[in-house]
């Protein structure tokens, strides 16, 4: 069941759905009870490391320290991304829910609409340390604008433009600061006869494609939904933003047409790491894959994903993981203590390196890399040049419909076809109609 369908189902049956947390320890009442004793929280963590077992190894000592400090035990289950959304949906409808759960931050508004999660209102927000400790753009991902968030940021991620320093130096090029400079550099570094390309794109991944549809449109000061949450996909800024991205393969010819088959970001990162391409756009957790594929840390640089000259300086969506508490947990106070602990400065530092995440707290320093310039670039992008994906219940459908439309357009380009602005508008109109029909 998709999140959007879940929202409709919950609304139809009763907005006050009763949920029983399956966290152990029945000594507390539904409002939270005491702190410590025989309380046990059930925590579903998302897979952030190299494997589910790796996550357990990283998180176990962190959770043990929480137990030592508070007396509250934590039953940990790490869930892969392919299963997490379904598990959350099932928990909402069945009542067999954990106390605390990690969510992809783009799911926040859809999950909020189910009324199954605890709002971080004044008292709850104060209990976890207050809203002022968070990076504002990160906290903005917690739910629909103007409401109390039902999730708070846990791990931050942002996009950057990785470039090969040696290739740029050999061509006498500087790191690009505008879209036009990026395309020009990519063209100079593209030589299909030598199987070298200026850029690699995850052009067969609907999630990657929709991220860049969003970012490029934001650089054009365009929005995908209006203030009432209705889709406005066919606006000129959206159309031109999508076309600009498609043109990297079509008109600019700086990306290998075979990239239309790249259904995840790892494949494009691997091309960069093995020096088949000069540039790739990816999130900061790409570092480990780059190094694992043989590229040394000093061989690449990172700059913000550039906007066209005069465009809005949006270089990423606010990517990352949020933390939510199920509303009817039997251990509300304990759950809030846990959220406060997971989002404090020391825990953020402890987990930032193994999970390659950016800190979600103001004034905190990234530890995912020892390259000070790279760390500063990504933190600046995350803090000041990022915009949340649409904070509407239909966000998941936006991702699916627009992203898959872009997959199809890239496939057409890759097989020798042409995609015009009218074609983009028609594809976005179809997507808009699909989203509007299910709203």
């Amino acid at each position: 069941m998709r999140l959007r369908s879940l929202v409709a189902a919950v609304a139809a049956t009763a907005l006050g759905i009763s949920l029983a947390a399956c966290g152990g320890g029945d000594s507390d009442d539904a409002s939270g009870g005491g702190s410590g004793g025989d309380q046990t929280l059930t925590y579903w963590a998302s897979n952030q490391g190299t494997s589910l077992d790796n996550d357990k190894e990283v998180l176990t000592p962190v959770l043990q320290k929480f137990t030592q400090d508070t007396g509250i035990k934590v039953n940990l289950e790490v869930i892969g991304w392919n299963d997490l959304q379904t598990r959350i949906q099932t928990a909402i409808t069945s009542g067999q829910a954990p106390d605390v759960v990690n969510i992809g931050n783009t799911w926040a508004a859809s999950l909020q609409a189910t009324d199954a999660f605890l709002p971080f209102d004044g008292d709850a927000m104060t209990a976890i340390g207050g809203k002022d400790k968070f990076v504002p753009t990160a906290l903005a991902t917690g739910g629909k604008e103007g409401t109390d968030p039902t999730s708070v940021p846990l791990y931050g991620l942002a996009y950057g433009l990785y470039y090969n320093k040696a290739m740029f130096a050999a061509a006498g090029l500087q790191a690009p600061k505008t879209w036009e400079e990026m395309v020009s550099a990519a063209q100079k570094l593209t030589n299909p006869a030598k199987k070298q390309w200026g850029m690699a794109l995850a052009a067969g991944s609907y999630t990657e494609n929709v991220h860049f549809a969003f970012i490029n449109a934001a650089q054009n000061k365009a929005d995908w939904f209006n203030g009432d949450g209705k889709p406005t996909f066919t606006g000129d800024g959206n159309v031109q933003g999508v076309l600009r991205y498609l043109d990297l393969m079509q008109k600019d010819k700086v990306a290998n047409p075979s990239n239309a088959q790249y259904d995840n970001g790892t494949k494009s990162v691997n091309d960069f790491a093995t020096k088949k391409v000069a540039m790739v756009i990816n999130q900061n957790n790409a570092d480990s894959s780059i190094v694992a594929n043989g590229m040394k840390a000093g061989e690449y640089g990172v700059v913000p994903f550039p906007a066209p000259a005069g465009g809005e300086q949006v270089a990423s969506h606010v990517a990352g993981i949020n933390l939510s508490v199920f509303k009817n947990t039997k251990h509300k106070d304990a759950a809030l203590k846990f959220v406060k602990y997971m989002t404090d400065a020391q825990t953020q530092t402890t987990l930032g390196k193994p999970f390659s995440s950016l800190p979600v707290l103001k004034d905190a320093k990234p530890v995912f890399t020892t390259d000070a310039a790279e760390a500063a670039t990504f933190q600046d992008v995350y803090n000041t040049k990022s915009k949340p994906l649409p904070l509407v219940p239909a966000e998941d459908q936006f991702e699916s419909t627009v992203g898959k439309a872009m997959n199809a357009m890239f496939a057409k380009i890759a097989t020798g076809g042409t995609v015009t602005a009218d074609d983009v508008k028609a594809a976005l109109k179809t997507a808009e109609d699909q989203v509007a029909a299910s709203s």
Side-chain angles (χ1 to χ4, degrees), residues 16-372:
I17 186 170
S18 176
L19 299 173
C22 64
D26 294 327
S27 59
D28 299 340
D29 61 23
S31 65
S35 60
D38 61 353
Q39 290 185 87
T40 300
L41 297 174
T42 296
Y43 172 43
W44 287 358
S46 52
N47 177 206
Q48 302 299 130
T50 57
S51 67
L52 301 185
D53 286 339
N54 171 249
D55 280 67
K56 292 175 186 176
E57 291 172 6
V58 171
L59 287 170
T60 295
V62 173
L63 302 185
Q64 288 175 339
K65 184 178 185 303
F66 173 73
T67 300
Q68 291 169 1
D69 291 347
T70 65
I72 301 166
K73 299 177 183 178
V74 182
N75 283 337
L76 169 68
E77 182 178 357
V78 182
I79 302 173
W81 282 105
N82 290 338
D83 300 319
L84 182 59
Q85 193 176 77
T86 300
R87 290 285 301 275
I88 293 172
Q89 293 163 356
T90 302
I92 292 171
T93 55
S94 71
Q96 298 301 306
D99 299 286
V100 186
V101 62
N102 288 8
I103 68 169
N105 67 6
T106 64
W107 308 344
S110 296
L111 290 175
Q112 181 186 47
T114 68
D115 198 39
F117 294 90
L118 180 75
F120 287 93
D121 56 16
D123 290 342
M125 186 62 76
T126 298
I128 66 168
K131 66 180 182 179
D132 289 340
K133 76 177 187 179
F134 294 106
V135 173
T137 52
L139 186 60
T141 66
K144 184 179 178 182
E145 187 176 1
T147 66
D148 291 322
T150 51
S151 66
V152 293
L154 178 62
Y155 307 126
L157 295 167
Y159 278 105
L161 177 67
Y162 289 80
Y163 68 96
N164 184 304
K165 290 181 178 179
M167 288 184 182
F168 268 67
L173 297 169
Q174 300 295 316
K177 296 180 179 179
T178 66
W179 178 274
E180 293 82 3
E181 289 178 2
M182 182 186 76
V183 171
S184 177
Q187 288 173 329
K188 290 178 181 178
L189 293 167
T190 295
N191 189 335
K194 294 184 178 180
K195 297 182 179 180
Q196 178 179 304
W197 295 86
M199 300 190 74
L201 309 175
S205 165
Y206 84 85
T207 53
E208 291 290 296
N209 279 334
V210 78
H211 292 166
F212 293 111
F214 175 81
I215 295 166
N216 279 274
Q219 292 172 346
N220 294 344
K221 303 180 183 180
D223 292 311
W224 292 89
F225 292 85
N226 64 19
D228 296 323
K230 303 299 183 183
T232 55
F233 296 178
T234 57
D236 188 61
N238 296 331
V239 172
Q240 292 302 318
V242 168
L243 184 61
R244 184 165 71 241
Y245 189 66
L246 295 172
D247 274 344
L248 291 172
M249 182 181 291
Q250 177 174 241
K251 184 182 73 174
D252 306 323
K253 300 185 185 301
V254 298
N256 192 331
S258 67
N259 287 180
Q261 300 177 44
Y262 282 13
D263 59 0
N264 63 67
T266 301
K267 295 178 180 179
S268 55
V269 168
N270 290 349
D271 279 357
F272 176 75
T274 54
K275 303 176 184 178
K276 296 176 183 176
V277 302
M279 288 179 277
V280 70
I281 313 155
N282 212 285
Q283 294 174 8
N284 53 282
N285 56 1
D287 282 29
S288 56
S289 293
I290 292 172
V291 174
N293 278 277
M295 194 175 198
K296 296 177 182 178
E299 294 182 304
Y300 63 84
V302 182
V303 294
F305 175 53
E312 195 79 2
Q313 294 302 306
V314 178
S316 181
H317 74 286
V318 184
I321 314 306
N322 284 7
L323 201 57
S324 288
V325 175
F326 273 85
K327 181 184 286 186
N328 282 8
T329 173
K330 294 180 179 180
H331 312 300
K332 176 181 172 182
D333 290 349
L336 291 174
K337 287 179 185 290
F338 181 69
V339 172
K340 181 178 182 180
Y341 173 78
M342 292 296 288
T343 58
D344 72 20
Q346 183 176 342
T347 307
Q348 287 278 297
T349 298
T350 300
L351 296 176
K353 187 170 181 62
F355 290 161
S356 298
S357 61
L358 294 167
V360 299
L361 306 178
K362 292 178 181 176
D363 303 320
K365 303 297 183 185
V367 295
F368 75 96
T369 177
T370 57
D371 185 326

